[in-house]
Each structure stands twice: as C-alpha cells, then as structure tokens.
C-alpha cells in the first residue's frame, strides 16, 4: 500500500475513469480556425481582459459626465427670481422696518389713490 | 498536450464544478488560454501545474457567476492550524466505500472542495495549493482540516443510514 494521499488519488481516478476529455477538436477549431465560420466563431468567443480599476474609472467618468450634462441642461440651483428683480433697488427704513424703495413707493401711491377716491 | 492532460484536467474540473458540461467547457477554455499564452510558461516541467492553475481559475470564474459567498472564505477560518494531515482522518477517508469518494467531495462547499481536490486528487502540497490559489498557508491548512472534518461527518452519516 502506498501513502494515503496517493491511494486516495488512485481511488478517485478509478471512480472517474469514465470521465474522458473529448473536446480536443473544438479547442483546435477555436484556437486555429480554418474556415470563415470558424474564424467568426473564434472572434465572437474571444475573451478580453479588462482590469476592474479601468472599469471603475470609466464608470465614474461616465457618471460624472451624465450628471454634469443633466445639471447643465436643467440646473437645480436656479437664482431666486425675486432677488434678481429687486437687484439694483434701494432699501428704505421707515418706522423701524426695512422696505424695498420701489415697492414702498408703489404702496404709498396706491394708498394715496384710495384716499382721493 | 490535450491527450496527456485532458482527462486529468477534466476530472479535476468535474470534481470542482460537479457538472460534466460545465467541466468540459472549462477544460476547453483552459487549453485555449494555454495555447494563447504558452510563451508565459518559463519552465516546461511545470506544464501540468500551470494547466492546473488555469483550470482552477476557470472553475472559480464559473463559480463566481452564481455564488460569491462560496468563493470568499469565512474570516474565522484563518486561525492557526498546525496539523496538516492527521493520520486518523486519512485512514477514515481511505476506508471510503467504493464509488462514493467523488460524490462526497462534490458535496462539499466550494472552498473546501477546492483544497481537498487539489490536495488529494492533484496531489499538491499545502504550499503549492497556497501558491496556486493565492492564499495564506494557514488558510489552506484550515480549509483542509474543515474539509476533512466534513468528509468524516459524511462517512458517519452514511454509516448510520446503512444501519
């Protein structure tokens, strides 16, 4: 009796003796394609290796680009319209309160008009 | 090369993948990869070991597609294990009933199946397995020990069911 490990390997080989590799022709046709069809199949089944880091960088770049385009087309931080309309006007302090000068004048004018009526 | 190592590699992949068709494809892919990268083989004496490594990686790739959990080890397994091949356990495996060793190995979870196959069928040493699988030596020892324990458990269960 040989050592235990060898005996086990032998035993497994005995159990698997019907397991025989018959794919040599397929390997040859894929490795050394002769006909056009085999070449096409070989090209179609060609494996390409891409590093995970490359995939990560590309995905991150695409994500940033898409988000950038989306924000550029439809910006979330739109300026408040009231601020832009009121830009350039003056502030007034009346009775301890602060008003926009043009709004204040409009309100005063309206009140004066209503008094005349 | 295919004539010499085809059956050996197919038996290895059958043990690892449990599926004859998937195993056959894995071996075909192994030979194609070997033909394409034959220039990377520096030492012709290491052809068998090189082919085994490619085949095992092929099996891992196929396993990964359906279950990541079986590829990554349980971190608690990386404990120190000093004993590599307890004689009692080897004797137990040696007394396995005819025709059931393959079936039992195939029933093991992938992580154990891998090291048990490489150790007992491919007859690699612990250091070689660690190198092939890019694992820590203690991890290989721990997986071997647990794999053996599971096999022993299977023998006991089979013995009980036979009465």
């Amino acid at each position: 009796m040989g050592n235990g490990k060898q005996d086990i390997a032998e035993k497994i080989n005995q159990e698997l003796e019907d397991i025989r590799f018959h794919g040599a022709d397929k390997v040859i046709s894929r490795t050394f394609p002769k006909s056009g069809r085999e070449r096409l199949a070989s090209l179609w089944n060609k494996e390409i290796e891409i590093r995970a880091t490359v995939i990560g960088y590309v995905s991150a770049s695409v994500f940033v680009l898409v988000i950038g385009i989306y924000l550029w087309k439809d910006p979330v931080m739109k300026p408040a319209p009231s601020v832009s309309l009121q830009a350039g006007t003056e502030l007034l302090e009346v009775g301890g309160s602060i008003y926009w000068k043009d709004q204040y004048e409009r309100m005063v004018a309206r009140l004066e008009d209503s008094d005349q009526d | 090369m295919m004539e010499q190592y085809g059956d050996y590699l197919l038996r290895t992949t059958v043990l690892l993948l449990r599926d004859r068709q998937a195993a056959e494809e894995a071996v075909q892919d192994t030979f194609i990869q070997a033909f394409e990268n034959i220039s990377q083989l520096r030492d012709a004496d290491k052809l068998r070991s090189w082919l085994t490594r490619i085949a095992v990686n092929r099996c891992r790739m196929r396993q990964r597609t359906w279950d990541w959990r079986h590829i990554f080890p349980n971190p608690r397994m990386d404990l120190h294990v000093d004993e590599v091949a307890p004689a009692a356990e080897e004797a137990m495996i040696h007394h396995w009933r005819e025709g059931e060793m393959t079936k039992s190995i195939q029933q093991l979870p992938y992580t154990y199946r891998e090291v048990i196959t490489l150790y007992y069928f491919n007859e690699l040493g612990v250091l070689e397995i660690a190198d092939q699988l890019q694992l820590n030596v203690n991890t290989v020892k721990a997986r071997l020990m647990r794999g053996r324990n599971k096999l022993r458990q299977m023998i006991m269960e089979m013995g009980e069911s036979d009465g």
Side-chain angles (χ1 to χ4, degrees), chain B residues 26-45:
Chain B
V27 176
Q28 286 176 22
D29 291 343
T30 299
F31 282 124
I32 290 167
Q33 194 177 335
F35 283 131
E36 287 172 353
N37 301 298
I38 196 74
S39 59
Q40 290 176 8
L41 181 67
R42 302 269 175 244
D43 185 355
D45 292 340

Side-chain angles (χ1 to χ4, degrees), chain B residues 3-93:
Chain B
E3 207 170 295
Q4 194 175 353
Y5 297 109
D7 294 348
Y8 160 77
L9 290 176
L10 185 60
R11 288 168 191 174
T12 303
T13 55
V14 161
L15 282 168
L16 293 175
L17 295 175
R18 300 188 284 205
D19 178 79
R20 176 66 197 266
Q21 183 61 34
E24 181 87 25
E25 286 170 11
V27 176
Q28 286 176 22
D29 291 343
T30 299
F31 282 124
I32 290 167
Q33 194 177 335
F35 283 131
E36 287 172 353
N37 301 298
I38 196 74
S39 59
Q40 290 176 8
L41 181 67
R42 302 269 175 244
D43 185 355
D45 292 340
K46 290 185 177 166
L47 178 61
R48 182 181 150 118
S49 164
W50 185 62
L51 288 171
T52 307
R53 184 193 292 259
I54 298 173
V56 169
N57 282 334
R58 285 273 149 196
C59 293
R60 283 189 148 199
M61 279 166 70
R62 281 173 185 269
Q63 282 294 116
R64 271 192 205 113
T65 57
W66 65 270
D67 199 343
W68 286 89
R69 283 178 307 149
H70 293 149
I71 297 293
F72 292 113
N74 181 346
R76 280 165 57 189
M77 272 175 46
D78 292 342
L79 302 168
H80 282 282
V81 183
D82 295 327
E83 215 172 358
V84 180
E89 285 180 359
E90 289 220 353
M92 191 167 280
I93 294 169

